Amino acid sequence: MKAVARAVGLWLFVILLGGCGAEGPVQFHADGLPAQLSQWKLFRHSGGQMRPNEGVVSFDLNTPLFSDYAHKWRTVWMPAGQSARYSPDSSFDFPVGTIISKTFYYPRGKAPGQVARTAPEATELERETLQLDRVRLVETRLLVRRQEGWLALPYVWNDDQTEATLQRVGALVPLSLVDATGTATELAYQVPDQNQCAGCHATDNRARALQPIGPKARHLNREFDYAGGRENQLAKLSRVGYLTGAPAPLAAPRAANWHDSATPLAARARSYLDINCGHCHSATGAANTSGLWLDAAASPDLHMGLCKQPVAAGKGTGDRLYDIHPGQAQASVLVYRMGSNDPAVMMPELGRSLAHTEGVQLISQWVDSLEGTCGQ
């Protein structure tokens, strides 16, 4: 009996210690809806740390999508012998079996129950490792490439940060977000449901099929601090066999870092609009009927909103006449909607409940710098 008790005790200890870090290789599920994130075996938990499992490669974007000041840890995994095909403009062509993950978290605040509002670029990730006592895990979203196409699965972390559970209908996570001055904002962080995922990831409005947004050459062409050292991400993916057909990084497109003041203002603003708005506001996106295209391919003309009157925006215009009024940010619909928290007005309409103060400032500076006049 004592031997049985010891065995049971050891089993419980392993479960509690391992949490979402079950032993064994990454497990791709070709069908079904795994209820726990740990069933995919993407991460390992030990010693109060969270690390990627073998073969799981971390990555980041030159300019990330804003999500209520959440920090993000992105990873990709592919089956042995499989690789994505490079494209200079669109998302890479990933093979069946690919798992892309994005874990949303916040640095912990000074007081219990609080999280810190810091620049998401100031990552807590150190060589592909998170110290769990320093962060509050909120959710991990998976994009899974099955035979029939991409599937989005949102997993919400428990309070102990040992497991994340599938929430197909989404969730609201209450957070107290504290800035550097000590001012707290009570935030109902929204985890999207599966249908809302399609609102951004169905980048072709005709096909309506989900596609990755971030893994494009221009977003990935940057260096990253991997566990084995610093390396360009395109070079890393090519070296480990996850990417074929990529040129040398210097020959690949590169989006600007939106908060790098050494980079021209226009390049930073266009990069910000591309990642935050361009997946919908493009010639093929869900917002193509608006005539406002904000992706990297958009020409700086009427289609990009310069002196363009808004289409079917309703109260979203704020009585402004043009999407972008050169030299007049406060008279531009684009800036007005970016700065609003009204669900009937704000853009993007999904993925945030707070305005990105710094992002609005950037776009305002850019619009104010534009020359030209609009006819009345």
Side-chain angles (χ1 to χ4, degrees):
M1 291 297 292
K2 289 184 179 180
V4 172
R6 283 197 299 269
V8 171
L10 179 60
W11 177 78
L12 289 173
F13 175 76
V14 170
I15 292 297
L16 291 173
L17 180 64
C20 200
E23 293 297 324
V26 172
Q27 179 63 55
F28 174 73
H29 297 270
D31 51 34
L33 300 171
Q36 309 297 330
L37 181 63
S38 59
Q39 293 175 254
W40 298 90
K41 300 186 179 182
L42 295 172
F43 304 102
R44 292 176 175 172
H45 284 202
S46 64
Q49 297 178 328
M50 179 175 170
R51 298 184 179 90
N53 202 350
E54 184 176 354
V56 177
V57 177
S58 302
F59 67 92
D60 207 348
L61 310 183
N62 280 311
T63 291
L65 175 73
F66 173 74
S67 305
D68 285 344
Y69 292 96
H71 296 232
K72 300 169 188 176
W73 179 13
R74 301 168 178 84
T75 72
V76 62
W77 177 88
M78 297 176 212
Q82 299 294 310
S83 60
R85 290 197 296 272
Y86 175 85
S87 168
D89 303 312
S90 59
S91 294
F92 300 153
D93 184 8
F94 290 92
V96 172
T98 300
I99 307 171
I100 297 174
S101 81
K102 184 161 60 171
T103 297
F104 295 69
Y105 68 92
Y106 290 87
R108 290 192 180 274
K110 295 181 180 179
Q114 292 183 341
V115 295
R117 171 175 161 172
T118 60
E121 295 77 19
T123 179
E124 294 292 321
L125 193 65
E126 297 179 353
R127 292 187 178 270
E128 300 186 271
T129 299
L130 280 180
Q131 303 291 337
L132 295 177
D133 62 345
R134 290 166 43 183
V135 301
R136 165 72 158 87
L137 301 176
V138 181
E139 60 162 325
T140 294
R141 302 178 194 173
L142 301 187
L143 270 180
V144 180
R145 179 66 169 89
R146 289 178 169 172
Q147 190 66 47
E148 62 273 19
W150 289 97
L151 174 69
L153 297 172
Y155 290 86
V156 178
W157 286 90
N158 61 15
D159 291 339
D160 294 332
Q161 303 199 133
T162 56
E163 183 62 275
T165 302
L166 180 63
Q167 299 286 348
R168 296 180 63 197
V169 297
L172 289 177
V173 181
L175 296 172
S176 182
L177 188 61
V178 182
D179 65 17
T181 68
T183 302
T185 300
E186 301 307 311
L187 169 65
Y189 178 97
Q190 183 174 7
V191 178
D193 62 39
Q194 282 187 289
N195 291 331
Q196 289 174 318
C197 291
C200 290
H201 285 277
T203 55
D204 187 329
N205 200 40
R206 293 164 296 183
R208 299 302 298 166
L210 272 62
Q211 293 290 337
I213 295 173
K216 299 182 176 75
R218 62 183 179 272
H219 301 315
L220 296 180
N221 192 2
R222 52 162 289 170
E223 292 191 336
F224 188 90
D225 286 323
Y226 296 100
R230 192 167 179 82
E231 187 175 359
N232 179 277
Q233 294 182 148
L234 294 178
K236 167 78 170 184
L237 292 171
S238 297
R239 182 174 61 78
V240 301
Y242 278 4
L243 183 62
T244 58
L250 288 177
R254 183 181 184 275
N257 180 333
W258 77 277
H259 65 95
D260 180 5
S261 59
T263 302
L265 176 61
R268 294 160 55 205
R270 289 296 304 271
S271 181
Y272 185 91
L273 293 173
D274 179 35
I275 193 64
N276 281 277
C277 314
H279 46 276
C280 285
H281 283 276
S282 71
T284 61
N288 65 338
T289 56
S290 70
L292 177 63
W293 299 347
L294 299 172
D295 60 317
S299 299
D301 56 17
L302 186 66
H303 268 308
M304 205 178 71
L306 300 180
C307 296
K308 188 188 83 65
Q309 294 183 333
V311 177
K315 64 179 291 188
T317 66
D319 295 325
R320 289 152 175 80
L321 297 179
Y322 304 106
D323 288 340
I324 295 179
H325 195 306
Q328 300 184 41
Q330 293 308 307
S332 301
V333 176
L334 174 66
V335 174
Y336 171 67
R337 301 192 77 168
M338 286 179 59
S340 175
N341 290 334
D342 183 344
V345 174
M346 69 184 196
M347 283 288 174
E349 59 188 353
L350 296 174
R352 74 169 181 92
S353 57
L354 301 176
H356 187 196
T357 302
E358 298 80 5
V360 174
Q361 290 173 347
L362 170 70
I363 301 305
S364 295
Q365 292 170 5
W366 171 63
V367 174
D368 282 339
S369 74
L370 297 175
E371 297 180 353
T373 58
C374 299
Q376 301 295 325

